[in-house]
Amino acid sequence: MANNNGVFQDLFNAVGTPVQNVADSVGDGVTSATSLVQNCADLCGTIITSSANTAIELIQNIASSISSAITPKQ
């Protein structure tokens, strides 16, 4: 029922709260999506860095093996 503020104020209160809740949820969803994207980017960066380090170690090991294979034995 209408209070001293009138029917329009009651209608605004009835509709405004759910709309605000939806807006808040969308805002939280955007924040969560942004966080998820950042976490994925961090993970991809870690994987790429780890892969690069592994490749460098593999190349160093191969170079070391070749060097020891061609070094004359004493």
Side-chain angles (χ1 to χ4, degrees):
M1 300 305 168
N3 57 22
N4 292 337
N5 293 329
V7 175
F8 292 110
Q9 183 66 37
D10 290 344
L11 180 61
F12 178 77
N13 289 340
V15 173
T17 299
V19 168
Q20 183 62 52
N21 290 342
V22 168
D24 290 345
S25 295
V26 169
D28 291 344
V30 169
T31 300
S32 295
T34 302
S35 178
L36 178 62
V37 168
Q38 184 62 50
N39 287 338
C40 288
D42 291 345
L43 177 60
C44 289
T46 300
I47 290 171
I48 290 169
T49 301
S50 178
S51 297
N53 289 339
T54 301
I56 289 169
E57 288 177 14
L58 179 62
I59 291 168
Q60 287 173 337
N61 288 338
I62 291 171
S64 176
S65 296
I66 292 172
S67 292
S68 65
I70 62 174
T71 300
K73 305 289 185 219
Q74 295 187 5

